Amino acid sequence: MTIQEQVAELANCTQARVAEAFKSMTIYGSLGNYLDYLRLLKALRLLKTHPNYNVEAVAKEAGFASVRTLNRKIQDVVGMTPRQFRDMCTIDGTE
């Protein structure tokens, strides 16, 4: 069951209504975009606070389906790769 289906069931409404409500009440446009945003924040936090984690572990723990997806999302938002972001966050640039 998808998240949207679960929300619709809990709210006792249709998936279309959930999508419409989410779009009209948030800046994210869709529930999927919001979940991507939360995953991205978690990944960035993990890269910053756990420099010993490899990118594969970060992708998995943050809920991304693949390292490729994580790389693309971080590149789109931050303008650098996960490794570059992690290196920027560490004092001496090492893991």
Side-chain angles (χ1 to χ4, degrees):
M1 184 179 277
T2 68
I3 296 290
Q4 191 162 316
E5 289 170 337
Q6 292 175 16
V7 171
E9 185 177 300
L10 287 169
N12 197 28
C13 65
T14 66
Q15 289 181 56
R17 180 67 187 123
V18 170
E20 178 185 316
F22 207 86
K23 184 175 183 177
S24 68
M25 291 188 230
T26 71
I27 62 170
Y28 302 101
S30 73
L31 183 55
N33 288 345
Y34 177 64
L35 293 174
D36 283 347
Y37 171 75
L38 293 177
R39 288 183 191 110
L40 180 63
L41 286 179
K42 184 170 185 173
L44 293 173
R45 189 175 310 114
L46 288 169
L47 289 165
K48 183 176 181 179
T49 60
H50 297 284
N52 57 319
Y53 283 17
N54 63 37
V55 175
E56 293 80 13
V58 170
K60 184 176 181 179
E61 190 166 331
F64 284 95
S66 69
V67 172
R68 184 177 178 175
T69 303
L70 172 64
N71 284 335
R72 185 172 32 85
K73 294 290 184 181
I74 290 180
Q75 185 74 42
D76 289 349
V77 174
V78 183
M80 59 184 75
T81 68
R83 285 180 181 89
Q84 290 169 329
F85 178 81
R86 179 180 51 215
D87 290 346
M88 180 189 73
C89 293
T90 58
I91 294 172
D92 61 0
T94 61
E95 291 188 23

